[in-house]
Amino acid sequence: MFVMELTYTAPIEAIEDELDAHIAWLDGYYASGVFLASGRKVPREGGIILAAGVSRAEVERIAAEDPFTLAGVCEYRITEFIATKTSSDLAAVRENAGA
């Protein structure tokens, strides 16, 4: 599983200009089952996406396709972790630490 942390590198007005395209991009990865949760940081200086079911190379490619990335208004920090314990709602993405 991956934590995709976005940090805005441009004024919020530039973020707002790309927001509809970013939301459409998010929707596509929710529909494919890759994205599990997402939202804004508080304070609003970026966002967080939880992703699963793909390799690190794939998640890096996905981040590179984000309209925010393409517009040069954010940077990504991607952290991989093994989700050995989850809520029952996320049981399908639970992982084995020994794998």
Side-chain angles (χ1 to χ4, degrees):
M1 185 175 296
F2 297 91
V3 176
M4 302 170 68
E5 181 180 6
L6 297 77
T7 300
Y8 298 149
T9 58
I12 203 68
E13 296 79 20
I15 302 302
E16 291 291 340
D17 289 345
E18 302 298 327
L19 192 56
D20 288 344
H22 174 75
I23 291 170
W25 170 83
L26 286 169
D27 289 345
Y29 284 103
Y30 274 108
S32 71
V34 173
F35 290 171
L36 305 175
S38 62
R40 295 176 179 170
K41 292 183 197 174
V42 178
R44 189 177 179 194
E45 56 192 30
I48 301 288
I49 301 168
L50 293 182
V54 293
S55 68
R56 181 167 192 97
E58 289 170 304
V59 85
E60 288 173 354
R61 178 189 52 77
I62 290 167
E65 295 173 351
D66 181 347
F68 283 171
T69 302
L70 296 174
V73 300
C74 85
E75 294 179 348
Y76 270 92
R77 178 175 174 230
I78 299 170
T79 303
E80 185 172 4
F81 74 102
I82 300 170
T84 55
K85 189 162 182 66
T86 66
S87 70
S88 58
D89 292 335
L90 292 176
V93 296
R94 213 172 281 151
E95 300 171 279
N96 180 342

